[in-house]
Structure formats: C-alpha cells, structure tokens
Amino acid sequence: MQALFAWDFNNKQIDDIDELITENFEQFAPGFDDHGFVKDLVAGVQTNLTDIDSYIIKYATEWPLDQINTVDRQILRIGVYELVFDLKIPAKVAINEAIEIAKAFGGDSSGKFVNGVLGAIFKEMEPKQIDIDNENKAASPERVEGPEKKDESAILTNTDTVHPEPENQVQPLEENVDETKEVE
C-alpha cells in the first residue's frame, strides 16, 4: 500500500515502483521475503487501474474518485484488484483484508466505507472459481466427517439399539462413613 500511496501521491510520476517497493522492504521489513507478492499486487493494480477505478466510481456513488482520500483510494484499489482480478484470492478474504487495512491505516469510517464499496461489488459479481471450489470442499462428506472419524453405527451391536445401563448398578456411598476406621 505504501508504494501505491507514494505512486498516486506523486501523480503516478514514479518511474521505478519496484525500486520504491525494495526501499520500503529495506526500511520497514528487512529480511522479509514475500516471494514477490507485493510486486505482483502493485503490478496488477497498475495494469488494471482504469477498470479498478471504474468499479470504485460505480460503487462509491457519493464520492468522486479524486475526493476519496489517498489512503482509502489505495485500499480500495488493492481490494478491488484482489476481489475482481486476482483469481487466486477468495473474495471474502480480499474484502476482509481490505477492511482490516482500512481500520488500521484509514480514518474512523474507512473500514465501513471500504466494506460498503467492496460488499456492493461482491453482491453483483459472478462467483470466482476459487470460491466455488472452496464451497464444494466445505460441503463434501469427507470434510464434514473427516477421514479419521469412525462410523458410529459400526459400534452398535446387531440389535441396532442402545441399551441403557441397568439401574442401581453402582451403589451410592454412605454419607456418614468414618474414614479413619480401619477395615478389618
């Protein structure tokens, strides 16, 4: 988000955003390897910027794009990119991440604003294949029972009924037993 913020704040005049990403990692997360996630994310936002901004304009109807503060605008751009264009990220994960980032770095109402915009997009978009696959996995009998779970019907006897334990099998303790008495 920092790289996109600087890029947008400088009217998209930064030529080498990869260098800016590297500097941000060196300054804020030295030694951290995200395996290219941030570079892919920033490149995805830049490549799809016109379409991403169209979504924001369509669904943030009360806010012209240039009047959305720079932090919220970048959060929305990342959120829309992950929600609509990145097919590897489940939709609800994209929305939740954007909301959490907005709560952490935006203003008091940023989380609600981001949730409203991304939620409206989510309601109207076709389901992503990853979401369909995840729902199918969650609904599969293997997921519900689990391979290690035993079939409880196999525990029952041939009668297919469970018989309660006989009453009074265990005798209650006597209340006034002298525990100091030795047993003979």
Side-chain angles (χ1 to χ4, degrees):
M1 186 179 76
Q2 290 170 317
L4 286 171
F5 178 91
W7 175 70
D8 190 36
F9 186 78
N10 290 298
N11 295 315
K12 303 172 189 85
Q13 299 300 313
I14 296 174
D15 294 329
D16 192 3
I17 200 159
D18 286 343
E19 183 179 325
L20 185 58
I21 292 169
T22 301
E23 289 173 9
N24 282 335
F25 270 109
E26 288 172 358
Q27 184 176 3
F28 300 108
F32 180 75
D33 182 10
D34 72 343
H35 304 287
F37 175 78
V38 171
K39 287 184 180 182
D40 292 344
L41 180 66
V42 169
V45 170
Q46 287 180 314
T47 301
N48 296 287
L49 186 64
T50 303
D51 292 330
I52 290 169
D53 285 352
S54 294
Y55 275 97
I56 296 169
I57 291 165
K58 179 178 178 180
Y59 291 96
T61 56
E62 302 296 317
W63 288 92
L65 189 62
D66 61 340
Q67 289 184 9
I68 298 172
N69 75 52
T70 308
V71 171
D72 289 353
R73 189 169 50 241
Q74 300 326 305
I75 295 168
L76 282 171
R77 284 176 172 161
I78 292 169
V80 171
Y81 171 73
E82 289 184 337
L83 178 62
V84 177
F85 298 96
D86 190 332
L87 303 178
K88 298 174 290 195
I89 298 178
K92 291 180 181 177
V93 171
I95 294 169
N96 287 336
E97 285 179 357
I99 292 168
E100 291 305 314
I101 293 169
K103 287 179 182 177
F105 298 106
D108 292 339
S109 61
S110 294
K112 291 178 183 178
F113 177 61
V114 168
N115 183 36
V117 174
L118 296 180
I121 295 169
F122 176 74
K123 286 179 184 176
E124 292 190 14
M125 66 184 270
E126 292 293 321
K128 294 166 83 170
Q129 188 61 47
I130 192 168
D131 294 321
I132 294 168
D133 293 345
N134 287 342
E135 283 184 30
N136 289 339
K137 284 180 190 175
S140 73
E142 292 172 1
R143 170 78 172 148
V144 174
E145 258 186 54
E148 71 283 343
K149 197 166 190 173
K150 295 179 183 175
D151 181 7
E152 291 183 22
S153 65
I155 297 171
L156 298 176
T157 62
N158 292 341
T159 62
D160 290 326
T161 59
V162 177
H163 299 285
E165 294 296 321
E167 289 184 38
N168 300 327
Q169 184 175 5
V170 177
Q171 298 298 321
L173 293 174
E174 292 180 29
E175 291 183 20
N176 294 322
V177 175
D178 185 359
E179 293 179 11
T180 60
K181 228 182 190 182
E182 285 186 29
V183 177
E184 295 178 17

